[in-house]
Amino acid sequence: MNKKPKSKKRVYLQERDTEVMRTLARYGLLRLSTLHALCFSSLKHQENVQKKLKRLIDNKYIFRKFPEIRRRSLDDTADKKQDLFEKHRREQVFCLDKRGAEEIGLEKFDSRFRKMLGPDKNTPHHRLDIADVRACFELAVEAGVRAVILEKPI
């Protein structure tokens, strides 16, 4: 029996969708909380943000990973020195996918961020921390906060 292929629904991108893709292109990798602050500051509930991002993920404009959280065992016995993995709610990490790069007109897609989130890779926490700090500074400048530089340490 031959099945008809499912027709793909046309995805209509909104201005915010393009903003999300441009933000991911600019930062490389972002945590959900940082992406929320940069692109969805008017939305209070994470559920609304998740719905909007899921549409972009499902249509391969952006990529999402749920990284494993590694914790060291508190018991120092030889049998229990291995890492324990917690599978509870984790922070999501996002990057731009190839289709998203094409949509916003990037001439060359930088796949290294996508590779950093590959199945056999550890989460690049250092890069995510840098993106968080950078975003905080940019949001502060946007809000008109002035930086105070101390000449002498307190």
Side-chain angles (χ1 to χ4, degrees):
M1 138 170 74
N2 291 334
K3 290 186 178 181
K4 265 188 173 179
K6 292 182 181 179
S7 62
K8 288 188 176 183
K9 290 183 180 178
R10 174 129 170 93
V11 178
Y12 293 100
L13 296 174
Q14 299 173 348
E15 187 176 326
R16 183 176 282 152
D17 299 330
T18 306
E19 180 186 349
V20 167
M21 290 184 278
R22 288 189 194 284
T23 301
L24 288 171
R26 184 168 180 219
Y27 286 90
L29 298 173
L30 285 176
R31 290 182 175 99
L32 174 61
S33 54
T34 309
L35 191 58
H36 187 174
L38 290 168
C39 299
F40 298 98
S41 58
S42 62
L43 295 178
K44 300 293 182 212
H45 299 288
Q46 291 260 346
E47 292 170 12
N48 297 334
V49 175
Q50 292 284 10
K51 286 178 189 174
K52 294 183 181 304
L53 292 175
K54 180 139 176 41
R55 192 169 57 91
L56 293 174
I57 294 162
D58 290 345
N59 289 287
K60 309 275 190 228
Y61 288 103
I62 64 176
F63 178 76
R64 170 180 62 187
K65 181 179 180 180
F66 294 91
E68 294 289 340
I69 300 172
R70 289 182 170 226
R71 303 260 190 244
R72 286 274 177 204
S73 173
L74 297 177
D75 187 353
D76 284 339
T77 61
D79 296 336
K80 296 188 177 184
K81 277 195 171 181
Q82 64 195 29
D83 287 344
L84 300 175
F85 292 96
E86 296 178 3
K87 299 221 177 198
H88 59 79
R89 187 176 171 94
R90 301 174 302 259
E91 180 73 67
Q92 300 169 41
V93 178
F94 295 87
C95 71
L96 188 64
D97 218 341
K98 189 172 184 175
R99 186 171 180 197
E102 291 169 358
E103 182 64 38
I104 61 173
L106 287 181
E107 291 181 20
K108 187 175 178 187
F109 174 60
D110 188 356
S111 62
R112 69 186 158 139
F113 298 114
R114 178 73 165 79
K115 288 177 184 172
M116 283 181 189
L117 297 178
D120 298 332
K121 303 288 185 179
N122 290 329
T123 305
H125 293 286
H126 181 70
R127 180 168 284 284
L128 289 166
D129 292 342
I130 290 170
D132 286 348
V133 170
R134 182 176 162 201
C136 286
F137 278 123
E138 290 179 6
L139 289 170
V141 168
E142 194 176 287
V145 176
R146 292 185 184 177
V148 178
I149 300 173
L150 302 174
E151 291 179 18
K152 296 179 184 178
I154 298 176

